[in-house]
Amino acid sequence: MSVIETVEQLEAIYGVTNDASTVKVADHVTPLYRVFIEKAPFAALATIGPEGIDCSPRGDLSGFVRIHDPKTLMLPDRRGNNRVDSLRNIVRDPRVSLMFLIPGSGNAVRANGRAHLSINPELLASFKVDGKAPRSVMVMTVNEIYFQCARAIVRSDLWNPDKRIDPKTLPTPGQILAEMSENKVGGAEYDRAWPERAAATMW
């Protein structure tokens, strides 16, 4: 098996980057990139720590990532499973990346930078939804931001409703938990109770 071992080998295969791939990169949130972020209800958050790399989904009402100023993004940490993998990584290594997706759009917007976690009471209160504040807010300094061309989303036909997978053909969280715990955790009761539990703890 042949393995690419140097950047020179890689560049020899892929050639020179075209202008459209580089001119789109900014070191701050431009007015047009602002539109994407303000309309996005979903983002993937990538972090890195001593144990390795983590990528976590983040979803909320459209515009949930606040543009504090052209160099600063703020992401509230809503209720979840309390693993805090991403947050633990940020405390130890500030490098982060966000990829924003908008249903129906072929383009994704990617932002890279460095972040810290804030528990300022006024800041937390400003992110309240249904009277509930997040327990922390990720404050990110943007080093670069750019759009990703639509090829991946077009190839995957991601937003085509006719291509949706029937959830009944997939393993459920309860089934996975039961398998992993030798039926000590999870099961049908876990799946049955999840919608009500999630609705009560959404924010």
Side-chain angles (χ1 to χ4, degrees):
M1 182 177 68
S2 298
V3 177
I4 298 173
E5 296 180 334
T6 69
V7 173
E8 290 74 19
Q9 289 175 320
L10 185 67
E11 291 175 344
I13 295 169
Y14 283 90
V16 178
T17 303
N18 61 42
D19 290 343
S21 296
T22 55
V23 73
K24 64 185 178 182
V25 180
D27 65 357
H28 64 283
V29 180
T30 66
L32 295 182
Y33 284 139
R34 172 183 285 269
V35 175
F36 275 92
I37 295 172
E38 290 180 339
K39 292 184 181 296
F42 179 87
L45 170 64
T47 59
I48 187 168
E51 296 83 13
I53 299 167
D54 184 71
C55 187
S56 176
R58 293 292 191 267
D60 211 325
L61 304 175
S62 294
F64 70 103
V65 175
R66 180 182 299 170
I67 304 169
H68 177 69
D69 60 49
K71 289 290 290 183
T72 311
L73 300 177
M74 295 180 170
L75 169 63
D77 187 61
R78 301 297 184 193
R79 296 182 69 164
N81 57 20
N82 292 330
R83 283 182 56 108
V84 298
D85 296 311
S86 300
L87 307 186
R88 186 179 288 111
N89 281 348
I90 291 169
V91 167
R92 298 176 296 174
D93 188 322
R95 292 175 292 174
V96 297
S97 182
L98 283 169
M99 184 172 71
F100 297 92
L101 293 176
I102 301 173
S105 172
N107 295 304
V109 166
R110 299 166 60 177
N112 301 318
R114 301 171 75 84
H116 67 269
L117 303 179
S118 175
I119 54 171
N120 177 279
E122 291 78 16
L123 181 60
L124 299 182
S126 73
F127 279 96
K128 281 184 178 179
V129 174
D130 288 347
K132 299 174 183 176
R135 282 181 282 183
S136 67
V137 172
M138 184 189 84
V139 181
M140 174 183 178
T141 300
V142 175
N143 292 334
E144 63 176 359
I145 184 170
Y146 54 93
F147 75 87
Q148 183 78 33
C149 78
R151 287 188 184 87
I153 292 177
V154 170
R155 280 194 295 259
S156 67
D157 213 5
L158 185 62
W159 307 126
N160 185 347
D162 295 330
K163 297 294 182 68
R164 290 179 180 173
I165 303 299
D166 183 353
K168 294 178 181 177
T169 67
L170 301 173
T172 68
Q175 290 169 338
I176 295 171
L177 288 169
E179 179 183 66
M180 297 298 291
S181 68
E182 298 182 343
N183 293 310
K184 295 183 179 69
V185 181
E189 176 57 25
Y190 180 94
D191 291 328
R192 185 202 63 76
W194 190 86
E196 183 177 347
R197 183 170 63 249
T201 59
M202 188 60 64
W203 308 109

